Structures are given as C-alpha cells and as structure tokens.
Amino acid sequence: MTEKAEIIYVVQPLYGDSNDRILHEEIISLIESAGAQYAGSITQKIREINPATYIGEGKLEELNERLEGLDVTVLFNGDLSPSQTLNISAAIGGKKVIDRTTLILDIFALRAQSSEGKIQVELAQLKYLYPRLKGKGESLSRLGGGIGTRGPGETQLETDRRHIRARIRALEEKLSETEKRRAMQTERRKKDRIKTIALVGYTNTGKSTLLNAVTGANVLEKDALFATLDPTARSFEIEGVEFLMVDTVGFLQNLPHTLIQAFRSTLESALNCDLALIVCDASGDYEMQLNTTLSTLREMNFSSPYLVVMNKCDRVNEISGFPQNSVCISARKKKGLDELKTRILQELESDFVRERLFVPYAKMSEYGSVRSLITEREVAYTDDGAEISAIIPAIYAEKFLRYIKK
C-alpha cells in the first residue's frame, strides 16, 4: 500500500507568494520521488516558529481535528528539531511526523547505487537520527539485560546511541579511504592533462541529459528530483582535445548544511574541476536555480571558473532576459551543443596554445618524445618534413618553440 503524505505548509510573512508556490511544488515532487502519494496540504500562517511545537498549541489542536481518522504521514515543509517532532506527534494522536530533511534523506537512500553513495547516505541518516533518539520515551528505555550484566543493565536507548556512535566512526573511516582514492584519481587526471568539466546546478534541470548528449553516455534520465545521486564521469573530445565531463548531485533551495557536508566528497569533482557548467531550466525559475547553486557552491569554497548553460530553451519563446554570456541549448533535442563546445574551449583558451609546427624528418625522433603532450589536428607531409596544426597545453608550449612555423 502506497504511503500517503499530508503536507503541513507553514507560511511566514518573510517569504513572498512566488517563493511559497515554488517550494510547495517542490515538496510535492519530493514526495513523489520518494515513492509516496500526495494526500493534500494544510496551510498554517504563523508569525514566528514555536520552539516546542513549531506551529503553536492552538494550531496543533486545529490540525489534530482536521487529520482525525486519516491514515497519513504528516510532513512539515521545513526542519523540525527532535523535541518538536516528538511533541507534534503526541499532539496529533501519535501519527508519524517527518520533516523535509528526513524526506530528502529517504530519496537519497533510494537513489544511491555506488558503495560511496550508500556510505554517505547512511552516514547522513545516522547523524540526523542520533540527536533524535533523546527522550524517545518508554519504547527506547527498555532494559537491555543479558548474561553478565550487573544491576539493571544498559537501557535500550543507551545501547542504540552507543551503536550509532560506533557505526558513524566506522562509516567516516570508510569514507576517508574513498576520499583518498578520489584524490589519487584527480592527481592522475592532472598528470594526464585531462581537463575536467563538472555539471552542477539545481536538481532536475537536465544535467544527465546533457551528459548523454555531449558524451554519448547512457546515464539514467528521469523527470524526478535527485534522479542522479552518484557522480558519473565520461570522456569526450572537442577539436581532438580530450575532456572529462562529470555529472553531480543536484541542489535544492535551503538544502540542509548537514546534507551538503555529507556529500562533500561526491562534490569534490565540482570543487576541483577546470570549468563548471551551471545548468538551469530555461522554462522554470532559472534565477532562483542559479542563485541557489552559486550560494551552495560558495558555501563549499568553490573557486573554479563557470559557464551558465540554459537548458530546455526549446520550451521558451523569449531568451533576452537570460543571464549575460549564458549558452542557450536543448540537451534533449541536441540543439546548441556545438556552440557550447566552442564556449568551453574559449573559457579554457588560456590553458591552450594553437600553433602550426614544422618538424624536419631529421628531428622526428626528438619530436616523438614530446608528441604525446599535444593534440595534432592536421598533419601534412612535405619533401622536407611534417607540417602540423596542433593544440598545445600552455604549460608545455616552451617545449615546442623550436618547431613553431615562422
């Protein structure tokens, strides 16, 4: 039987109507992405958040009356403290109460496929659960007992907390090992002179579709929030130069800090990239998407150059209001991709030098020792030697000065 979720949508004067609408649509999409069914919503207007019950005792009594007899999970579109969760559940007849972060973590658990992704999800869940074990009541205060136990024994609550602490330490050690391997991979790519292009941006803007369109990969494309959780890397070429494109987990408005930190190792590819493509949905609220992405990246001390890519441009008629210098594409219809590749090269042009080389036959052996450092676009053989049109990484330009055709 599909679980049904009733949204308790708390409205404060701080937010405008437009932002409220977007957040409301987003939470419904999150419910569906978690495999649950949207049962309805109740809007509660408040002046300030009640530290004990979030929406105040009077509002809770009203909420209890409206939910009486309904078999639903109560979802607050915000973040609840452990005590608020317990108090609200007690006030509405013991119904299951969750908040937005719990819902997102549940989706992450569904989406994680790689061992690293599963470790990160479990670690985030345990860190979120740990403080919420406090005061769970009699259900978690049963005696552990057992042979060799002196006195009343360890309570179940203490046993659970001790087990979680140990599990968190073990997962952090595993994640640390994974991070070391990822760092080694990054260093190897640098040595191989492969530039990394990271796809970052709001969730469900078409990053995976763009990865498939550019690289010919077969990554999952799905119209759902957080359809891609694990990072995916694929190589591709522009004018003979090899690049690596990496798809990353999408962002959301007000993405909890704990979740950003939990997936920091996964997002290292974005932090260490040579160029980031910030993908926005041209048919949606792209200003909000761009601002959310940039604020999240800044929180992670992101400093790489970036290019704004407006995807789904086939769905809009007017593009004059798009961010300055952005690239307009349709990844699904493969339109605008040539312009995007040209812009990628332009953004990285300071890293490359285009030259025409002439290598006498007598110098071919000498040239062969450095040939792997460059990309040969055209080679023409003459009576005296080879004329080569090449793209040379700037850091190796000095090695080819003797061959540059005057």
Side-chain angles (χ1 to χ4, degrees):
M1 183 176 175
T2 303
E3 185 175 1
K4 295 181 180 180
E6 183 86 16
I7 302 172
I8 308 305
Y9 191 57
V10 179
V11 177
Q12 290 179 267
L14 177 65
Y15 302 108
D17 293 339
S18 175
N19 197 50
D20 287 341
R21 177 184 57 78
I22 293 168
L23 288 172
H24 187 59
E25 291 173 353
E26 200 168 82
I27 199 72
I28 294 175
S29 295
L30 286 170
I31 290 170
E32 293 170 347
S33 295
Q37 182 180 337
Y38 168 60
S41 59
I42 298 173
T43 300
Q44 296 282 8
K45 292 185 178 181
I46 61 173
R47 291 184 178 274
E48 58 184 17
I49 293 174
N50 186 301
T53 54
Y54 200 84
I55 61 173
E57 294 182 8
K59 296 288 186 182
L60 273 179
E61 291 177 6
E62 180 185 333
L63 182 62
N64 187 37
E65 292 177 3
R66 295 182 66 173
L67 294 176
E68 189 174 0
L70 298 179
D71 183 17
V72 294
T73 293
V74 178
L75 167 63
F76 272 72
N77 191 16
D79 288 320
L80 299 175
S81 69
S83 59
Q84 286 170 343
T85 304
L86 293 169
N87 293 338
I88 293 169
S89 180
I92 59 175
K95 284 184 171 60
K96 181 180 175 183
V97 176
I98 63 173
D99 62 11
R100 185 169 173 267
T101 299
T102 303
L103 179 61
I104 293 173
L105 282 170
D106 186 69
I107 296 170
F108 280 4
L110 287 172
R111 300 285 187 255
Q113 299 295 323
S114 70
S115 59
E116 181 182 4
K118 291 176 181 178
I119 289 172
Q120 290 179 120
V121 169
E122 185 181 354
L123 186 58
Q125 286 177 322
L126 290 177
K127 285 185 174 180
Y128 191 68
L129 171 66
Y130 184 77
R132 283 159 174 74
L133 286 178
K134 280 186 178 181
K136 282 274 188 174
E138 293 181 1
S139 63
L140 284 174
S141 295
R142 300 182 302 274
L143 296 180
I147 298 174
T149 302
R150 293 183 179 274
E154 186 177 42
T155 65
Q156 186 63 39
L157 172 59
E158 290 165 347
T159 303
D160 290 341
R161 287 173 64 83
R162 183 166 53 83
H163 172 74
I164 288 177
R165 284 198 302 269
R167 182 61 179 164
I168 286 174
R169 285 195 297 271
L171 290 171
E172 286 177 336
E173 289 175 3
K174 285 184 179 180
L175 198 56
S176 178
E177 293 173 2
T178 305
E179 289 171 352
K180 289 177 183 177
R181 287 197 297 272
R182 188 181 294 279
M184 290 174 63
Q185 290 176 343
T186 300
E187 286 301 314
R188 187 159 56 247
R189 287 167 185 165
K190 288 180 179 178
K191 288 181 180 179
D192 292 340
R193 304 171 311 283
I194 299 176
K195 299 293 182 182
T196 302
I197 313 296
L199 296 174
V200 296
Y202 212 74
T203 185
N204 205 27
T205 55
K207 296 186 298 296
S208 297
T209 306
L210 179 56
L211 178 75
N212 289 340
V214 172
T215 70
N218 189 27
V219 176
L220 172 67
E221 299 174 20
K222 191 175 182 181
D223 185 18
L225 301 185
F226 300 116
T228 302
L229 184 60
D230 297 304
T232 304
R234 295 290 186 272
S235 61
F236 70 105
E237 291 186 354
I238 303 177
E239 296 188 22
V241 180
E242 184 179 2
F243 293 91
L244 190 73
M245 183 169 281
V246 183
D247 191 9
T248 62
V249 62
F251 300 139
L252 273 183
Q253 281 192 87
N254 307 320
L255 192 63
H257 181 77
T258 52
L259 296 188
I260 296 173
Q261 289 302 115
F263 285 85
R264 187 179 181 87
S265 63
T266 300
L267 292 165
E268 286 294 325
S269 55
L271 299 181
N272 296 321
C273 69
D274 296 287
L275 177 68
L277 302 184
I278 299 182
V279 184
C280 300
D281 181 350
S283 63
D285 189 346
Y286 54 82
E287 289 185 355
M288 176 276 293
Q289 296 165 14
L290 180 58
N291 291 334
T292 298
T293 300
L294 288 174
S295 63
T296 305
L297 288 173
R298 289 190 191 106
E299 186 176 338
M300 300 170 63
N301 298 318
F302 170 81
S303 60
S304 299
Y306 65 86
L307 182 63
V308 178
V309 179
M310 302 300 294
N311 189 27
K312 307 182 185 180
C313 285
D314 55 306
R315 301 182 183 180
V316 297
N317 297 319
E318 182 59 48
I319 64 173
S320 59
F322 286 171
Q324 191 174 8
N325 297 323
S326 60
V327 183
C328 188
I329 70 164
S330 170
R332 188 166 297 281
K333 295 190 175 182
K334 297 186 177 181
K335 293 183 177 179
L337 299 185
D338 289 339
E339 181 188 350
L340 176 59
K341 291 178 181 179
T342 299
R343 288 292 301 278
I344 289 173
L345 272 184
Q346 289 174 351
E347 292 294 325
L348 297 173
E349 63 182 352
S350 61
D351 295 330
F352 298 98
V353 178
R354 296 171 183 266
E355 294 287 358
R356 291 198 64 82
L357 309 178
F358 177 75
V359 183
Y361 290 122
K363 299 288 185 179
M364 275 295 180
S365 178
E366 181 183 89
Y367 171 73
S369 65
V370 293
R371 185 176 187 176
S372 62
L373 300 176
I374 68 173
T375 299
E376 294 181 340
R377 297 195 62 218
E378 294 178 1
V379 180
Y381 293 98
T382 67
D383 293 338
D384 301 318
E387 292 187 354
I388 303 165
S389 174
I391 299 177
I392 308 169
I395 57 174
Y396 300 122
E398 192 174 334
K399 295 179 181 293
F400 296 88
L401 289 176
R402 72 191 74 178
Y403 305 118
I404 293 177
K405 192 173 181 181
K406 305 297 184 184

